[in-house]
Tab-separated table of all heavy atoms in Angstrom:
chain	number	residue	atom	x	y	z
M	1	ILE	N	49.448	40.783	101.917
M	1	ILE	CA	50.809	40.766	102.418
M	1	ILE	C	51.237	39.321	102.808
M	1	ILE	O	52.390	38.930	102.549
M	1	ILE	CB	50.987	41.727	103.625
M	1	ILE	CG1	50.690	43.166	103.232
M	1	ILE	CG2	52.351	41.598	104.243
M	1	ILE	CD1	51.680	43.779	102.264
M	2	GLU	N	50.316	38.571	103.374
M	2	GLU	CA	50.615	37.169	103.676
M	2	GLU	C	50.955	36.395	102.367
M	2	GLU	O	51.845	35.546	102.372
M	2	GLU	CB	49.474	36.532	104.411
M	2	GLU	CG	49.343	36.984	105.876
M	2	GLU	CD	48.065	36.542	106.536
M	2	GLU	OE1	47.101	36.075	105.874
M	2	GLU	OE2	48.016	36.679	107.810
M	3	TRP	N	50.221	36.699	101.291
M	3	TRP	CA	50.463	36.048	100.018
M	3	TRP	C	51.900	36.391	99.521
M	3	TRP	O	52.625	35.504	99.092
M	3	TRP	CB	49.424	36.494	98.995
M	3	TRP	CG	49.785	36.026	97.583
M	3	TRP	CD1	49.521	34.805	97.033
M	3	TRP	CD2	50.497	36.762	96.603
M	3	TRP	NE1	50.019	34.757	95.767
M	3	TRP	CE2	50.643	35.949	95.463
M	3	TRP	CE3	51.013	38.067	96.541
M	3	TRP	CZ2	51.251	36.359	94.294
M	3	TRP	CZ3	51.669	38.458	95.388
M	3	TRP	CH2	51.773	37.643	94.267
M	4	VAL	N	52.278	37.685	99.659
M	4	VAL	CA	53.609	38.115	99.222
M	4	VAL	C	54.668	37.349	100.007
M	4	VAL	O	55.617	36.809	99.454
M	4	VAL	CB	53.816	39.631	99.377
M	4	VAL	CG1	55.270	39.995	99.228
M	4	VAL	CG2	52.958	40.359	98.374
M	5	LYS	N	54.494	37.262	101.321
M	5	LYS	CA	55.464	36.538	102.172
M	5	LYS	C	55.516	35.073	101.825
M	5	LYS	O	56.598	34.515	101.653
M	5	LYS	CB	55.067	36.690	103.642
M	5	LYS	CG	55.436	38.039	104.255
M	5	LYS	CD	55.078	38.077	105.711
M	5	LYS	CE	55.794	36.960	106.441
M	5	LYS	NZ	55.321	36.670	107.762
M	6	ALA	N	54.355	34.424	101.642
M	6	ALA	CA	54.345	33.001	101.364
M	6	ALA	C	54.971	32.703	100.008
M	6	ALA	O	55.730	31.748	99.847
M	6	ALA	CB	52.897	32.515	101.409
M	7	THR	N	54.663	33.543	99.000
M	7	THR	CA	55.201	33.293	97.692
M	7	THR	C	56.710	33.510	97.647
M	7	THR	O	57.430	32.703	97.074
M	7	THR	CB	54.530	34.275	96.652
M	7	THR	OG1	53.107	34.104	96.763
M	7	THR	CG2	54.981	33.978	95.260
M	8	SER	N	57.169	34.545	98.281
M	8	SER	CA	58.645	34.805	98.236
M	8	SER	C	59.379	33.811	99.057
M	8	SER	O	60.480	33.385	98.674
M	8	SER	CB	58.927	36.247	98.703
M	8	SER	OG	58.510	36.444	100.014
M	9	GLU	N	58.811	33.300	100.136
M	9	GLU	CA	59.480	32.279	100.962
M	9	GLU	C	59.443	30.931	100.308
M	9	GLU	O	60.430	30.183	100.323
M	9	GLU	CB	58.851	32.214	102.354
M	9	GLU	CG	59.177	33.416	103.223
M	9	GLU	CD	58.342	33.491	104.487
M	9	GLU	OE1	57.526	32.585	104.744
M	9	GLU	OE2	58.490	34.475	105.211
M	10	LYS	N	58.313	30.571	99.688
M	10	LYS	CA	58.143	29.251	99.090
M	10	LYS	C	59.104	29.032	97.902
M	10	LYS	O	59.652	27.978	97.725
M	10	LYS	CB	56.681	29.086	98.607
M	10	LYS	CG	56.431	27.721	97.971
M	10	LYS	CD	54.984	27.600	97.591
M	10	LYS	CE	54.772	26.203	96.995
M	10	LYS	NZ	53.371	25.982	96.617
M	11	HIS	N	59.317	30.050	97.155
M	11	HIS	CA	60.133	29.942	95.944
M	11	HIS	C	61.474	30.567	96.068
M	11	HIS	O	62.182	30.808	95.085
M	11	HIS	CB	59.363	30.473	94.723
M	11	HIS	CG	58.114	29.761	94.448
M	11	HIS	ND1	58.062	28.502	93.941
M	11	HIS	CD2	56.809	30.123	94.682
M	11	HIS	CE1	56.796	28.094	93.851
M	11	HIS	NE2	56.037	29.050	94.287
M	12	HIS	N	61.876	30.908	97.283
M	12	HIS	CA	63.172	31.540	97.562
M	12	HIS	C	63.401	32.768	96.703
M	12	HIS	O	64.504	32.989	96.203
M	12	HIS	CB	64.317	30.498	97.313
M	12	HIS	CG	64.078	29.233	98.079
M	12	HIS	ND1	64.170	29.205	99.475
M	12	HIS	CD2	63.792	28.002	97.671
M	12	HIS	CE1	63.964	27.956	99.858
M	12	HIS	NE2	63.696	27.231	98.845
M	13	HIS	N	62.306	33.536	96.520
M	13	HIS	CA	62.440	34.789	95.788
M	13	HIS	C	63.195	35.785	96.657
M	13	HIS	O	63.453	35.534	97.841
M	13	HIS	CB	61.085	35.406	95.449
M	13	HIS	CG	60.304	34.584	94.456
M	13	HIS	ND1	58.988	34.728	94.256
M	13	HIS	CD2	60.683	33.586	93.606
M	13	HIS	CE1	58.557	33.924	93.299
M	13	HIS	NE2	59.554	33.200	92.915
M	14	VAL	N	63.511	36.860	96.057
M	14	VAL	CA	64.160	37.957	96.767
M	14	VAL	C	63.314	38.261	98.005
M	14	VAL	O	62.076	38.357	97.907
M	14	VAL	CB	64.208	39.196	95.849
M	14	VAL	CG1	64.085	40.491	96.575
M	14	VAL	CG2	65.484	39.178	95.041
M	15	GLN	N	63.933	38.360	99.192
M	15	GLN	CA	63.187	38.708	100.371
M	15	GLN	C	62.786	40.192	100.304
M	15	GLN	O	63.635	41.047	100.200
M	15	GLN	CB	64.032	38.472	101.631
M	15	GLN	CG	63.318	38.765	102.931
M	15	GLN	CD	62.033	37.932	103.097
M	15	GLN	OE1	61.991	36.738	102.781
M	15	GLN	NE2	60.982	38.524	103.578
M	16	LEU	N	61.506	40.407	100.259
M	16	LEU	CA	61.010	41.761	100.124
M	16	LEU	C	61.122	42.474	101.432
M	16	LEU	O	60.670	41.973	102.486
M	16	LEU	CB	59.580	41.745	99.599
M	16	LEU	CG	59.481	41.123	98.204
M	16	LEU	CD1	58.062	40.844	97.832
M	16	LEU	CD2	60.171	41.924	97.169
M	17	PRO	N	61.755	43.644	101.447
M	17	PRO	CA	62.018	44.343	102.688
M	17	PRO	C	60.757	44.804	103.432
M	17	PRO	O	59.809	45.214	102.804
M	17	PRO	CB	62.862	45.559	102.264
M	17	PRO	CG	62.583	45.744	100.806
M	17	PRO	CD	62.183	44.384	100.289
M	18	LYS	N	60.803	44.710	104.747
M	18	LYS	CA	59.841	45.321	105.646
M	18	LYS	C	58.429	44.683	105.563
M	18	LYS	O	57.508	45.203	106.169
M	18	LYS	CB	59.718	46.817	105.443
M	18	LYS	CG	61.011	47.529	105.549
M	18	LYS	CD	61.228	48.600	106.504
M	18	LYS	CE	60.301	49.258	107.332
M	18	LYS	NZ	60.699	49.404	108.729
M	19	MET	N	58.265	43.573	104.854
M	19	MET	CA	56.923	42.966	104.740
M	19	MET	C	56.466	42.437	106.129
M	19	MET	O	55.312	42.506	106.428
M	19	MET	CB	56.884	41.870	103.697
M	19	MET	CG	56.883	42.420	102.299
M	19	MET	SD	55.459	43.498	102.012
M	19	MET	CE	55.773	43.903	100.295
M	20	HIS	N	57.406	41.896	106.909
M	20	HIS	CA	57.028	41.419	108.232
M	20	HIS	C	56.522	42.560	109.115
M	20	HIS	O	55.533	42.423	109.830
M	20	HIS	CB	58.217	40.718	108.929
M	20	HIS	CG	58.618	39.447	108.278
M	20	HIS	ND1	57.901	38.291	108.436
M	20	HIS	CD2	59.686	39.142	107.444
M	20	HIS	CE1	58.459	37.350	107.727
M	20	HIS	NE2	59.544	37.833	107.133
M	21	ALA	N	57.205	43.692	109.045
M	21	ALA	CA	56.814	44.881	109.843
M	21	ALA	C	55.475	45.433	109.383
M	21	ALA	O	54.621	45.788	110.204
M	21	ALA	CB	57.888	45.970	109.724
M	22	VAL	N	55.255	45.436	108.086
M	22	VAL	CA	53.975	45.916	107.518
M	22	VAL	C	52.856	44.986	107.980
M	22	VAL	O	51.802	45.458	108.436
M	22	VAL	CB	53.996	46.016	105.986
M	22	VAL	CG1	52.627	46.286	105.413
M	22	VAL	CG2	54.965	47.126	105.530
M	23	LEU	N	53.064	43.680	107.881
M	23	LEU	CA	52.070	42.719	108.316
M	23	LEU	C	51.747	42.861	109.806
M	23	LEU	O	50.572	42.837	110.222
M	23	LEU	CB	52.520	41.300	108.005
M	23	LEU	CG	51.520	40.192	108.354
M	23	LEU	CD1	50.185	40.379	107.630
M	23	LEU	CD2	52.111	38.822	108.045
M	24	SER	N	52.762	43.081	110.621
M	24	SER	CA	52.547	43.264	112.044
M	24	SER	C	51.703	44.497	112.315
M	24	SER	O	50.807	44.470	113.146
M	24	SER	CB	53.916	43.366	112.754
M	24	SER	OG	53.757	43.600	114.090
M	25	ARG	N	52.015	45.596	111.651
M	25	ARG	CA	51.236	46.830	111.779
M	25	ARG	C	49.783	46.605	111.356
M	25	ARG	O	48.858	47.114	112.027
M	25	ARG	CB	51.831	47.969	110.986
M	25	ARG	CG	53.176	48.448	111.452
M	25	ARG	CD	53.034	49.266	112.660
M	25	ARG	NE	54.386	49.776	113.024
M	25	ARG	CZ	54.669	50.304	114.151
M	25	ARG	NH1	53.783	50.436	115.077
M	25	ARG	NH2	55.885	50.754	114.364
M	26	LEU	N	49.593	45.893	110.223
M	26	LEU	CA	48.228	45.605	109.751
M	26	LEU	C	47.458	44.853	110.832
M	26	LEU	O	46.295	45.168	111.121
M	26	LEU	CB	48.307	44.804	108.494
M	26	LEU	CG	48.425	45.545	107.192
M	26	LEU	CD1	48.768	44.562	106.064
M	26	LEU	CD2	47.139	46.267	106.842
M	27	GLN	N	48.077	43.804	111.364
M	27	GLN	CA	47.394	42.965	112.330
M	27	GLN	C	47.067	43.734	113.624
M	27	GLN	O	45.968	43.569	114.191
M	27	GLN	CB	48.257	41.730	112.638
M	27	GLN	CG	48.324	40.774	111.453
M	27	GLN	CD	49.351	39.712	111.587
M	27	GLN	OE1	50.350	39.837	112.349
M	27	GLN	NE2	49.160	38.606	110.869
M	28	ASN	N	47.992	44.558	114.104
M	28	ASN	CA	47.710	45.351	115.315
M	28	ASN	C	46.574	46.336	115.075
M	28	ASN	O	45.707	46.475	115.932
M	28	ASN	CB	48.980	46.123	115.714
M	28	ASN	CG	50.084	45.209	116.257
M	28	ASN	OD1	49.801	44.095	116.670
M	28	ASN	ND2	51.296	45.684	116.236
M	29	PHE	N	46.589	47.019	113.937
M	29	PHE	CA	45.563	48.000	113.629
M	29	PHE	C	44.217	47.304	113.493
M	29	PHE	O	43.206	47.716	114.099
M	29	PHE	CB	45.922	48.734	112.324
M	29	PHE	CG	45.003	49.864	111.906
M	29	PHE	CD1	44.047	50.393	112.772
M	29	PHE	CD2	45.151	50.410	110.670
M	29	PHE	CE1	43.223	51.462	112.367
M	29	PHE	CE2	44.360	51.488	110.258
M	29	PHE	CZ	43.354	51.949	111.131
M	30	ALA	N	44.165	46.166	112.773
M	30	ALA	CA	42.904	45.416	112.583
M	30	ALA	C	42.393	44.915	113.935
M	30	ALA	O	41.172	44.980	114.203
M	30	ALA	CB	43.101	44.287	111.610
M	31	GLY	N	43.215	44.414	114.777
M	31	GLY	CA	42.828	43.922	116.099
M	31	GLY	C	42.225	45.017	116.955
M	31	GLY	O	41.179	44.842	117.595
M	32	SER	N	42.888	46.182	116.997
M	32	SER	CA	42.417	47.292	117.755
M	32	SER	C	41.062	47.817	117.214
M	32	SER	O	40.133	48.135	117.959
M	32	SER	CB	43.455	48.398	117.757
M	32	SER	OG	43.044	49.480	118.544
M	33	LEU	N	40.982	47.882	115.894
M	33	LEU	CA	39.740	48.342	115.251
M	33	LEU	C	38.600	47.383	115.522
M	33	LEU	O	37.448	47.775	115.826
M	33	LEU	CB	39.943	48.516	113.744
M	33	LEU	CG	38.787	49.026	112.929
M	33	LEU	CD1	38.256	50.354	113.444
M	33	LEU	CD2	39.170	49.154	111.465
M	34	GLU	N	38.863	46.085	115.418
M	34	GLU	CA	37.868	45.095	115.735
M	34	GLU	C	37.356	45.220	117.170
M	34	GLU	O	36.145	45.137	117.425
M	34	GLU	CB	38.441	43.695	115.486
M	34	GLU	CG	37.451	42.573	115.564
M	34	GLU	CD	38.067	41.240	115.182
M	34	GLU	OE1	38.427	41.113	114.011
M	34	GLU	OE2	38.124	40.351	116.054
M	35	HIS	N	38.249	45.434	118.079
M	35	HIS	CA	37.906	45.668	119.502
M	35	HIS	C	36.929	46.853	119.653
M	35	HIS	O	35.930	46.796	120.342
M	35	HIS	CB	39.148	45.817	120.327
M	35	HIS	CG	38.884	46.107	121.768
M	35	HIS	ND1	38.481	45.166	122.659
M	35	HIS	CD2	38.984	47.291	122.479
M	35	HIS	CE1	38.300	45.704	123.850
M	35	HIS	NE2	38.629	47.000	123.772
M	36	GLN	N	37.274	47.965	118.974
M	36	GLN	CA	36.419	49.138	119.060
M	36	GLN	C	35.063	48.908	118.449
M	36	GLN	O	34.047	49.373	118.966
M	36	GLN	CB	37.124	50.328	118.360
M	36	GLN	CG	38.412	50.797	118.956
M	36	GLN	CD	38.246	51.337	120.351
M	36	GLN	OE1	37.265	52.003	120.661
M	36	GLN	NE2	39.248	51.101	121.210
M	37	ILE	N	35.001	48.174	117.343
M	37	ILE	CA	33.697	47.882	116.686
M	37	ILE	C	32.832	47.038	117.614
M	37	ILE	O	31.633	47.319	117.779
M	37	ILE	CB	33.955	47.149	115.332
M	37	ILE	CG1	34.519	48.128	114.307
M	37	ILE	CG2	32.677	46.537	114.811
M	37	ILE	CD1	34.956	47.540	112.992
M	38	VAL	N	33.428	46.037	118.258
M	38	VAL	CA	32.660	45.190	119.173
M	38	VAL	C	32.176	46.048	120.374
M	38	VAL	O	31.027	45.897	120.807
M	38	VAL	CB	33.526	44.014	119.662
M	38	VAL	CG1	32.894	43.262	120.821
M	38	VAL	CG2	33.775	43.057	118.520
M	39	LYS	N	33.052	46.899	120.905
M	39	LYS	CA	32.686	47.739	122.043
M	39	LYS	C	31.545	48.676	121.709
M	39	LYS	O	30.707	49.004	122.554
M	39	LYS	CB	33.876	48.596	122.540
M	39	LYS	CG	34.897	47.785	123.281
M	39	LYS	CD	34.414	47.558	124.677
M	39	LYS	CE	35.584	47.199	125.546
M	39	LYS	NZ	35.208	47.035	126.930
M	40	LEU	N	31.467	49.109	120.429
M	40	LEU	CA	30.367	49.994	120.000
M	40	LEU	C	29.075	49.226	119.747
M	40	LEU	O	28.045	49.809	119.470
M	40	LEU	CB	30.779	50.744	118.734
M	40	LEU	CG	31.716	51.942	118.914
M	40	LEU	CD1	32.234	52.419	117.576
M	40	LEU	CD2	30.978	53.053	119.655
M	41	GLY	N	29.144	47.916	119.779
M	41	GLY	CA	27.973	47.077	119.536
M	41	GLY	C	27.659	46.943	118.050
M	41	GLY	O	26.504	46.602	117.710
């Protein structure tokens, strides 16, 4: 998703809808999951 954002922004491509929201959800989920994995040892 970061690649899609960087490519579309760098070359002024069509702004792809909702990519920022998808990336935010991915990061939140990954952060929470990482926290749970660490807590489980």
Side-chain angles (χ1 to χ4, degrees):
I1 298 292
E2 287 171 345
W3 171 84
V4 169
K5 282 183 58 195
T7 305
S8 61
E9 289 169 2
K10 182 178 181 179
H11 299 288
H12 307 291
H13 291 166
V14 147
Q15 183 58 41
L16 299 168
K18 307 238 350 133
M19 286 300 182
H20 292 285
V22 170
L23 182 59
S24 177
R25 292 285 185 193
L26 274 167
Q27 291 168 336
N28 290 340
F29 186 11
S32 183
L33 181 57
E34 188 173 296
H35 177 74
Q36 296 295 326
I37 289 173
V38 168
K39 286 282 198 176
L40 283 169

